[in-house]
Amino acid sequence: SISWIYHWVDRILGLTWYFWALVTFLTLIFISSLHDMWKYEDAREGHKVIMVDSLTMQQDKVNLFRAQRNVYISGLSLFLALVIRRLVSLILTLGRVREQRNALGYKKMN
């Protein structure tokens, strides 16, 4: 199996550290996007109470759309990063189990 390559690269580069740094960065982006979305929702609600021109209402809609889009993109990126991490760990575990199975089968034949 090629799990030794992952462990070798992980030892040299510290891939686990880079992954969690990426997850932290994506989490900060997600939280920032949520904050912006809430800010624009509050501004839009405030503009419903007082009369504003149609250009301001349109700008509120554009800002809210962009903020929602950023929340979806950053949330999906964060989710997919965690899913990919889990898939890699499952593939490596499967490789180790196959190696153990083959080793046991070889011992059983002898």
Side-chain angles (χ1 to χ4, degrees), residues 95-109:
R96 282 193 295 273
V97 168
R98 283 183 177 171
E99 286 176 353
Q100 291 172 354
R101 182 195 65 193
N102 291 340
L104 288 174
Y106 181 71
K107 287 180 183 177
K108 190 175 184 181
M109 292 172 129

Side-chain angles (χ1 to χ4, degrees), residues 13-26:
L13 297 177
L15 289 179
T16 306
W17 184 87
Y18 288 118
F19 171 76
W20 289 114
L22 174 71
V23 167
T24 303
F25 178 70
L26 289 173

Side-chain angles (χ1 to χ4, degrees), residues 55-92:
L55 185 61
T56 305
M57 292 290 282
Q58 190 68 24
Q59 191 65 34
D60 287 344
K61 289 178 184 177
V62 167
N63 288 337
L64 185 59
F65 173 77
R66 285 183 186 151
Q68 288 172 343
R69 179 200 61 196
N70 292 341
V71 166
Y72 291 135
I73 290 171
S74 61
L76 184 64
S77 299
L78 178 62
F79 173 74
L80 288 178
L82 294 172
V83 167
I84 289 170
R85 171 67 177 190
R86 180 66 179 148
L87 283 175
V88 167
S89 71
L90 287 174
I91 289 169
L92 292 174

